Amino acid sequence: MRVTYRRLLPLLALAGLSLAGAAVGMASEPATNASATDGYDDQAPLSAVAQLGKRLFFDPSLSGGGQMSCATCHDPANHYAPANGLAVQLGGPHLDQPGIRAVPSLAYKMSTPSFSIGEESAADEAAEASPMTEASGVALANAPATVAGPLTAQAVVKADAAAAANLVPQGGMFWDGRVDSLEEQALQPMISPFEMANPDAATVYAKLKKGYGKEISALFGDNVANDQDMMISEIGFALARYQVEERSFHPYTSKYDYYLRGKAVLTDAEARGLKLFDDANKGNCASCHLDKMIGDGQMPNFTDFEFEALGAPRNPAIPANADAHYYDTGICGPLRNDTYSAQQQNCGLFKTPTLRNVATRHVFFHNGVYRTLEDVTRFYVKRDTNPEEIYPKDASGKVLKYNDLPAQYQANIDVIDVPMNRKLGDAPALNDAEIADVVAFLTTLTDGYDPAKDSVKAAK
């Protein structure tokens, strides 16, 4: 039995960039490519609740200016990511208010566990996800005492200043993990001033009641339809159910999925790239972006859901960065405000995203600073060996290394894991040819692969 929580919209002052977008109007709805789903179950009919969620997802009237829906920037035609190349999306009533972070894709979010602090364990990583978790991992941050798990099929450890160094943040929605469930993720942007920009929860409720009141009464009862918090909660649930039931959010139809099932063969470059991706002394990408089948044939999600401080260079294309004193410190804010965000060891940490469909993205990292996978891979291997190629210089010619994180937090940046453990002047872990091979492999993670077309192409 699902527990309905009386939701928190009246308390949400700011939201992350999960729904804001710059494009105007409705994005295209998902289409099923029969040839690309060979070997996979067909799309089951959506439940009535998920059908409601679908209509909500594509409805721009729910925004403050009537021009933005969830799909405006979570475009199904681009694997539920923005279709444009902006570092941050534009929202607000007139679609002219810039956000502060790159918008992540909504694809493959169903497996994200709730936020917790726990031991890093390769054995646990494979099973740590708890689909559609509703629970209180984030709320535990402000609990008065240690809370015993498991509440969401996993142990949850209360954060405190004495936490051991080997405990790592993991899970949660958004780049900073500040909410636990798909429900909360779907609701937060509705009143964000730089996203859907409704002035308050009461406005959202009025729009929902006008446009969907009868349907909500039929599905959930009049008591829900006549209660602001309950209705908003159920709307979040409907949006979440749509993301769970609609297969295009998590189709697992990439070439690599077919390869893992023995139904596709990688090219020489792709195979070399996979080897480098897995090699603990070269790319070492798979240490965070897990790429092996788990359980009973379960496809990998290409993330361990953990948080890292990578020291990506500052992006001048983000308007907020025009203020030299402004910093986005991930878990430590500006969008998160709880016990975890007050702990210095969490500053600069952002959640590891999935690499599925990464070759279709237009910008990379939380701040959208890079626009090609070649540049992203080069950052990892040259950040410390050749920082002058990564970071700007000041007037005296000094390299401004780690220039997007205050000095007091730079000790959190990962300088231990390969390939970021090398020193100034060392040879990078990957050369240009190897970088090209890694990128070739990453292109195999794009959904919609058609083995028949690939066979014809190979024959030619």
Side-chain angles (χ1 to χ4, degrees), residues 60-324:
S61 73
L62 297 179
S63 65
Q67 302 181 75
M68 177 186 296
S69 70
C70 306
T72 299
C73 91
H74 291 297
D75 189 346
N78 199 45
H79 307 284
Y80 295 98
N84 62 49
L86 297 176
V88 296
Q89 299 300 306
L90 299 172
H94 307 292
L95 301 182
D96 58 358
Q97 298 300 306
I100 62 171
R101 291 177 183 157
V103 175
S105 168
L106 286 183
Y108 297 99
K109 286 289 186 288
M110 186 181 72
S111 297
T112 304
S114 60
F115 184 85
S116 66
I117 304 288
E119 292 188 11
E120 185 174 17
S121 166
D124 291 343
E125 281 176 343
E128 69 184 356
S130 177
M132 268 300 292
T133 181
E134 289 209 46
S136 52
V138 170
L140 293 178
N142 290 319
T146 300
V147 180
L151 293 178
T152 57
Q154 60 196 353
V156 178
V157 181
K158 171 128 169 31
D160 76 40
N166 67 331
L167 298 182
V168 296
Q170 50 200 296
M173 299 291 175
F174 302 115
W175 283 104
D176 55 15
R178 67 187 179 276
V179 302
D180 285 326
S181 70
L182 285 171
E183 288 187 3
E184 294 168 292
Q185 173 271 325
L187 293 173
Q188 281 210 2
M190 289 188 178
I191 60 171
S192 166
F194 49 80
E195 298 183 68
M196 297 180 80
N198 289 291
D200 51 36
T203 303
V204 176
Y205 174 62
K207 290 181 178 181
L208 291 170
K209 188 153 188 175
K210 179 181 179 181
Y212 299 90
K214 291 182 179 179
E215 187 171 1
I216 290 169
S217 289
L219 284 172
F220 303 114
D222 291 339
N223 61 323
V224 170
N226 293 323
D227 184 288
Q228 175 176 306
D229 289 348
M230 291 179 68
M231 180 187 279
I232 289 174
S233 175
E234 295 300 350
I235 289 306
F237 180 65
L239 284 163
R241 286 309 310 172
Y242 173 53
Q243 294 177 62
V244 169
E245 295 183 26
E246 169 56 56
R247 285 192 66 256
S248 62
F249 281 96
H250 36 82
Y252 296 99
T253 56
S254 71
K255 181 177 183 178
Y256 187 68
D257 293 310
Y258 281 90
Y259 167 76
L260 289 178
R261 294 178 182 272
K263 296 183 177 182
V265 177
L266 301 182
T267 67
D268 289 346
E270 292 164 355
R272 291 193 303 267
L274 173 57
K275 185 176 180 180
L276 293 165
F277 189 94
D278 287 339
D279 192 332
N281 296 311
K282 296 291 285 184
N284 196 33
C285 315
S287 64
C288 293
H289 299 284
L290 311 180
D291 65 345
K292 298 294 187 288
M293 291 175 70
I294 56 178
D296 185 18
Q298 183 178 344
M299 293 292 110
N301 282 316
F302 279 85
T303 175
D304 58 7
F305 303 104
E306 293 179 0
F307 287 71
E308 287 274 350
L310 298 174
R314 194 170 178 88
N315 188 356
I318 297 178
N321 283 343
D323 179 355

Side-chain angles (χ1 to χ4, degrees), residues 446-459:
T446 302
D447 286 320
Y449 174 72
D450 186 341
K453 291 182 179 178
D454 209 26
S455 298
V456 171
K457 183 178 176 182

Side-chain angles (χ1 to χ4, degrees), residues 392-404:
K393 299 177 181 178
D394 66 14
S396 67
K398 178 184 176 182
V399 176
L400 300 175
K401 193 174 180 182
Y402 306 150
N403 68 325
D404 203 27

